[in-house]
Amino acid sequence: MQVLGASFDPVEKNAAFAKKFGFDFPLLSDTDRKLGMAYGAADDATAGWARRISYLIGPDGRIRKAYPKVNAAAHPEEILKDL
């Protein structure tokens, strides 16, 4: 299983954020907002921030489940339940 996170912030800011909160997964920098728009986290490239959403993607690259509103504290357990 691979966990990835993404935000619109630059690499340096994401690295500091990941370190502060002890993330043990990559936090991608989507500064041009293409990923956010493709996955529905932003409506357009002028969005100030991404919506907190999540996707469970299978080994074949297909979306198995979408989580349109994520509660950060409860989400890991929710994902594990759905695996």
Side-chain angles (χ1 to χ4, degrees):
M1 177 173 58
Q2 174 68 56
V3 174
L4 300 172
S7 90
F8 295 158
D9 293 326
V11 172
E12 299 79 20
K13 191 169 182 180
N14 275 347
F17 185 84
K19 183 177 180 180
K20 177 180 179 180
F21 290 99
F23 289 1
D24 62 351
F25 56 87
L27 184 55
L28 309 175
S29 291
D30 182 25
T31 56
D32 62 6
R33 292 154 168 75
K34 287 181 181 179
L35 181 66
M37 290 188 301
Y39 281 89
D43 296 326
D44 61 54
T46 64
W49 59 85
R51 288 183 206 63
R52 187 171 282 170
I53 63 171
S54 183
Y55 291 94
L56 180 58
I57 301 173
D60 60 358
R62 299 178 79 177
I63 294 173
R64 300 293 186 208
K65 186 166 183 179
Y67 304 87
K69 292 185 180 183
V70 172
N71 173 323
H75 195 51
E77 187 172 319
E78 181 180 25
I79 290 281
L80 289 173
K81 182 186 86 173
D82 291 336
L83 285 175

